[in-house]
Amino acid sequence: MAGPVGGGRGGPAVTGGGEIPVSPTASPAAGGPSAPESGMTGATVTLRIFKGVPGGELGYATYEVPEVVGMVVLDAVHWVQRNLDTELACRWNCKAAKCGSCSAEVNGHPVLMCKTRIDTLRRGPITVQPLRSFPLIKDLVTDVSRNYEINKMIPPFTAAPDDGTPWRIAQMDVDRLYEHRRCIECFLCQDVCHVNRGHDLSARFFGPRFFVRVASLEMHPKDVLDRRDLVRDLGGLGYCNITKCCTDVCPEHIHITDNSIIPLKERVADRHWDPVRWLGRKLRGTSPPPEAP
Ligand code: SF4
Ligand code: SF4
Ligand code: FES
C-alpha cells in the first residue's frame, strides 16, 4: 500500500502509491454533509487525492464530489474537507490565483488548484498530488522553504547614492520590469524544472523563479550591483538548457526563458567571453560594475 518517498529533491514519488481508505474518524465532517449547493450539475466528480506523511502510509484516497457549475479543483478539495475527510491537508489562501499557495499537480501537471476548472480536465478520475520537487509535509502540502533560503542569497535592489536628480526611467524599461514583478511565488516553475526534479543540485541551482528575480534586478536601470557572477557560479545558470517547461506552467504568463533566462545568459557571456567588450574595457581603462557581495 505504501509508496516510496524520494522524488526530485526529497519530494514525494507519488505515482506508485496504493489506495488509502478514508479514516472513519475523518468522515463525514462534524455536522454532516453540506446542504446542496446552487448550480449543481447533477454529475459527480471522482477525485484521487494523495495522502500521507513521510514515514507513514502513502497512497491515494478516492472521493466522489458533486459537481457545481464553474467548479475548480480547489472547490472540490474543499468539499472533500468539509464533507468527507476533515483531516485532509492542503494549502491555500486567496482562491484568486494571486497568493501562489495552492500549487499542486493535477493529472500530473503543475497548476494552481484555484485556477483549474474541473470542466477543462479530461473526463474520468482526477488525480491531485503535491509538488514532487519539494519534501512532503502532509497530503497536498510540501515544504517550499528552500526557495526562501535561495532568495536570501540574492542581494536586493541597490541604487547609487541619492544625488538629488529625479529618477527618469524609460517606459520600455518599466514594461520589462513589470513582467518580472508579476511573479506570485507559486513555485510551479521550480517544481517542473528538470534540473530540480532529476538532480540533487539543491546547493548549486537557483531555479527559474530566482532567475526571474535576478533578471529583474540586473535589468533595473537604477540598480548598480552586478549579479552575473553570482547567478553563474552560485545560481547554476549554466545548468538550464532552455527547455521552456518553466514558461509553460507559469500562471502569470511570464516568459521566463525568453525574457529572463536568455537575457541573463547573454549578460554572463558578455562579461566573460565577449572579446570586443573586453578590449573596449582595456582601452578605456574601465572595469566592470561592482560585483554583488
Ligand atoms: S528552461 Fe531552464 S529553468 Fe526553465 S525548466 Fe528548463 S531547465 Fe529549468
Ligand atoms: S515565475 Fe511564474 S511559475 Fe515561477 S514562481 Fe513566479 S509566478 Fe510561479
Ligand atoms: S489559493 Fe491563492 S493562488 Fe490559489
Side-chain angles (χ1 to χ4, degrees):
M1 172 92 51
V5 177
R9 290 193 179 119
V14 291
T15 47
E19 199 67 23
I20 286 194
V22 178
S23 147
T25 57
S27 172
S34 304
E37 297 173 35
S38 62
M40 280 183 170
T41 65
T44 300
V45 177
T46 303
L47 288 187
R48 291 185 71 243
I49 302 181
F50 180 83
K51 288 200 70 181
V53 293
E57 187 179 32
L58 300 174
Y60 291 87
T62 301
Y63 309 92
E64 301 293 329
V65 178
E67 187 182 23
V68 175
V69 175
M71 186 178 232
V72 293
V73 172
L74 186 63
D75 291 328
V77 170
H78 282 167
W79 195 93
V80 170
Q81 284 183 317
R82 268 200 319 277
N83 297 288
L84 301 175
D85 188 351
T86 53
E87 294 178 358
L88 177 66
C90 86
R91 186 187 281 135
W92 71 287
N93 199 323
C94 69
K95 201 174 173 287
K98 284 296 162 208
C99 73
S101 307
C102 68
S103 301
E105 298 193 12
V106 173
N107 289 344
H109 297 290
V111 292
L112 296 178
M113 289 192 284
C114 71
K115 202 182 176 187
T116 306
R117 282 178 62 138
I118 298 280
D119 58 10
T120 63
L121 301 171
R122 60 168 161 69
R123 286 284 139 194
I126 296 167
T127 304
V128 187
Q129 60 195 63
L131 301 179
R132 71 184 89 169
S133 292
F134 300 105
L136 179 68
I137 295 177
K138 183 179 189 302
D139 303 340
L140 298 178
V141 180
T142 52
D143 178 2
V144 296
S145 58
R146 179 180 176 276
N147 293 297
Y148 303 112
E149 297 306 316
I150 294 173
N151 205 34
K152 285 188 225 163
M153 297 180 208
I154 301 170
F157 173 74
T158 306
D162 188 0
D163 63 0
T165 315
W167 282 13
R168 305 181 77 174
I169 301 179
Q171 187 61 42
M172 193 173 67
D173 287 329
V174 173
D175 294 343
R176 201 160 56 156
L177 296 176
Y178 183 70
E179 180 183 8
H180 298 136
R181 290 300 188 102
R182 291 206 307 263
C183 175
I184 58 171
E185 298 210 316
C186 64
F187 304 129
L188 293 174
C189 57
Q190 298 287 96
D191 176 53
V192 81
C193 176
H194 70 95
V195 181
N196 281 336
R197 286 197 175 196
H199 310 278
D200 184 16
L201 295 173
S202 49
R204 287 182 286 153
F205 185 66
F206 284 176
R209 185 285 169 264
F210 299 99
F211 296 147
V212 168
R213 175 149 189 257
V214 173
S216 160
L217 292 162
E218 286 300 290
M219 292 178 188
H220 198 298
K222 294 296 181 186
D223 182 271
V224 294
L225 290 187
D226 186 343
R227 300 167 187 79
R228 289 178 292 182
D229 282 358
L230 177 88
V231 76
R232 184 187 76 152
D233 300 336
L234 198 58
L237 183 67
Y239 289 119
C240 164
N241 53 359
I242 320 181
T243 55
K244 296 200 178 187
C245 314
C246 48
T247 301
D248 288 345
V249 300
C250 179
E252 284 294 317
H253 308 293
I254 299 170
H255 294 94
I256 301 172
T257 35
D258 288 354
N259 292 346
S260 301
I261 294 175
I262 292 173
L264 270 185
K265 282 178 177 276
E266 288 169 347
R267 282 166 164 75
V268 168
D270 282 351
R271 175 173 168 80
H272 288 278
W273 314 116
D274 186 334
V276 178
R277 283 170 194 259
W278 176 85
L279 188 61
R281 282 198 297 266
K282 276 274 181 218
L283 292 175
R284 288 196 305 273
T286 55
S287 50
E291 280 178 33

